[in-house]
Amino acid sequence: MKIVINKILEKLDIKESAIFNIFEVTPSIEKAISFLEESNYTIVAQNIDSEEFIQLKISDILYIEYLERRIFLYTKNSTLITKDSLSNFSKILPNEFVQISKSTVANSLYIKAFIAQKNGNLTLEIVGNEKLIVSRRYVANVKKTLQNISN
């Protein structure tokens, strides 16, 4: 069976394309197609340095923090803000995002390593050598998300 991903990408007005020749559509293949479709969702947020509003792919977000009634979106190159509640904003996020504390959500695809702490918390190291604390309450959820991604 031949699956042509570039048809999906054309609908999304994306110039990149890929052709996969596969013998059987397995759950893993379906998951990959779903990931490609979801990774192109965008939001509009304000860059905190230039105060300019830009369109940001959700898949480019490393992690999200809710502070002072605003959502801070951290990418490899910039920090952006938007106004919303964390619970509302979390509803639009793909399954790769996992809540790690009351006010922080991390993109599990950018997790490089994690270290267990004596107090039951975890420390996540994400791309860019940023370190985030996973509170005990959210450790099981993080482990579950990482297992789902690895399958």
Side-chain angles (χ1 to χ4, degrees):
M1 176 181 273
K2 190 179 215 180
I3 295 182
V4 183
I5 301 297
N6 57 339
K7 289 191 186 284
I8 295 169
L9 297 172
E10 283 173 13
K11 289 179 187 176
L12 299 170
D13 193 31
I14 297 173
K15 307 295 183 224
E16 300 166 337
S17 66
I19 298 174
F20 296 96
N21 294 314
I22 57 174
F23 298 105
E24 180 182 352
V25 179
T26 64
S28 297
I29 299 295
E30 289 175 349
K31 188 175 179 180
I33 291 169
S34 175
F35 174 74
L36 287 171
E37 290 173 334
E38 289 178 359
S39 68
N40 292 303
Y41 292 137
T42 61
I43 59 166
V44 175
Q46 186 177 18
N47 187 312
I48 63 168
D49 295 326
S50 67
E51 296 186 8
E52 145 184 60
F53 285 89
I54 63 167
Q55 193 168 9
L56 172 69
K57 282 176 148 181
I58 289 180
S59 61
D60 289 340
I61 299 171
L62 302 176
Y63 68 99
I64 300 161
E65 278 186 311
Y66 184 72
L67 302 166
E68 301 171 1
R69 297 184 186 231
R70 293 187 290 179
I71 295 177
F72 289 78
L73 310 166
Y74 299 91
T75 68
K76 290 179 185 175
N77 302 318
S78 61
T79 302
L80 299 105
I81 57 171
T82 188
K83 291 185 180 179
D84 201 351
S85 70
L86 187 58
S87 61
N88 280 343
F89 192 79
S90 293
K91 291 176 186 174
I92 67 165
L93 296 173
N95 294 335
E96 292 78 34
F97 283 83
V98 60
Q99 189 154 6
I100 63 170
S101 71
K102 184 177 176 182
S103 61
T104 309
V105 175
N107 186 339
S108 59
L109 298 176
Y110 291 106
I111 296 173
K112 290 179 11 180
F114 58 91
I115 303 159
Q117 304 295 318
K118 290 179 182 178
N119 63 2
N121 292 348
L122 286 177
T123 300
L124 294 180
E125 184 178 338
I126 60 171
V127 171
N129 296 323
E130 187 84 27
K131 292 192 168 115
L132 304 172
I133 302 296
V134 179
S135 63
R136 285 189 308 249
R137 178 178 173 193
Y138 296 94
V139 169
N141 197 30
V142 169
K143 288 180 180 179
K144 181 180 174 185
T145 301
L146 292 174
Q147 284 176 337
N148 287 340
I149 289 174
S150 65
N151 292 337

